[in-house]
Amino acid sequence: MSEVRIAAEPRTEFGKGAARRTRRAGKVPAVLYGHGTDPQHISLPGHALMLALKTPNVLLTIEGLGGGSELALPKDVQRDPIKGFLEHVDLLLVKRGEKVVVDLPVNVVGDVVAGGQVAQTEVEISVETEATNIPESVDLDISGLGVDSQVLAKDLRLPSGTTLAADEDTLILQILDATAATAPEAGAEAAEGEGEAAEGEAEAAAE
């Protein structure tokens, strides 16, 4: 698991105008909360934070706080819907050894069976794991799965120290019949061809 140190500064101005000024200075407004403490309003260096957030569930060591450094996980990241820059981040305080619920990417590995087609319905899965030892992903090996096979959340092989937090009957992936998926399209093309042929015969008869 990645752990990134990042320097914070206290934030005393609030509102949209103050947030815009913070972003113009190359920083991102953030709130640090958890463990029954009062929320701390801070600003973080925008470029460093953007790089850190490229890693899912990155563990941040927030430095520069009055009581010393704190460990935190990003819980809510707001981005500009058009330009994509960071607008605001909520950070959850964590401690070493405690358990947290996070979403892990489901990484499909292996080759699909001949004639099969992968239909993945969930790309992430909620798990409970140690805050300072969060796995990067859950690997799902589809080697050997036949057509019409299904994989539910309870069938996933989770990393050591991780337990399922999602509904165990959540459908993650199924293997569809690729030939059946293309059959209706082929039938439609054939029907279209027959229709054109009939239209041509009708036009010939009219002449």
Side-chain angles (χ1 to χ4, degrees):
M1 176 182 183
S2 296
E3 184 172 340
V4 176
R5 293 184 176 274
I6 193 165
E9 294 180 2
R11 186 162 52 92
T12 56
E13 291 185 314
F14 307 100
K16 293 183 178 179
R20 282 194 294 268
R21 286 191 292 274
T22 298
R23 289 191 286 269
R24 279 199 297 267
K27 299 174 183 177
V28 178
V31 174
L32 184 64
Y33 66 94
H35 292 155
T37 62
D38 292 333
Q40 299 182 61
H41 298 272
I42 58 176
S43 62
L44 301 170
H47 183 68
L49 182 60
M50 179 186 66
L51 293 178
L53 293 179
K54 289 184 177 182
T55 300
N57 300 310
V58 62
L59 181 66
L60 299 174
T61 300
I62 310 296
E63 300 179 328
L65 303 174
S69 63
E70 297 276 10
L71 295 176
L73 291 172
K75 292 301 292 183
D76 184 40
V77 178
Q78 298 175 24
R79 299 178 183 271
D80 181 272
I82 298 175
K83 298 182 179 179
F85 60 78
L86 296 172
E87 291 191 324
H88 189 275
V89 177
D90 287 354
L91 302 171
L92 177 65
L93 286 168
V94 296
K95 293 181 179 179
R96 297 190 185 278
E98 79 169 300
K99 296 279 189 175
V100 293
V101 175
V102 296
D103 292 335
L104 296 184
V106 177
N107 181 35
V108 177
V109 298
D111 296 324
V112 66
V113 65
Q117 178 179 326
V118 177
Q120 187 173 358
T121 54
E122 297 291 338
V123 296
E124 293 183 327
I125 191 68
S126 292
V127 301
E128 185 178 55
T129 187
E130 188 179 337
T132 55
N133 192 29
I134 299 176
E136 291 186 3
S137 64
V138 176
D139 288 339
L140 170 53
D141 189 354
I142 61 172
S143 303
L145 293 181
V147 172
D148 294 331
S149 295
Q150 292 186 341
V151 178
L152 305 181
K154 62 184 177 183
D155 301 322
L156 294 173
R157 299 185 63 179
L158 300 178
S160 177
T162 301
T163 57
L164 187 66
D167 185 336
E168 64 177 15
D169 291 324
T170 300
L171 177 64
I172 304 299
L173 175 148
Q174 55 186 333
I175 306 298
L176 303 179
D177 186 343
T179 58
T182 57
E185 182 178 343
E189 291 177 354
E192 183 179 348
E194 291 175 0
E196 291 176 351
E199 184 178 346
E201 291 174 1
E203 289 176 355
E207 292 175 356

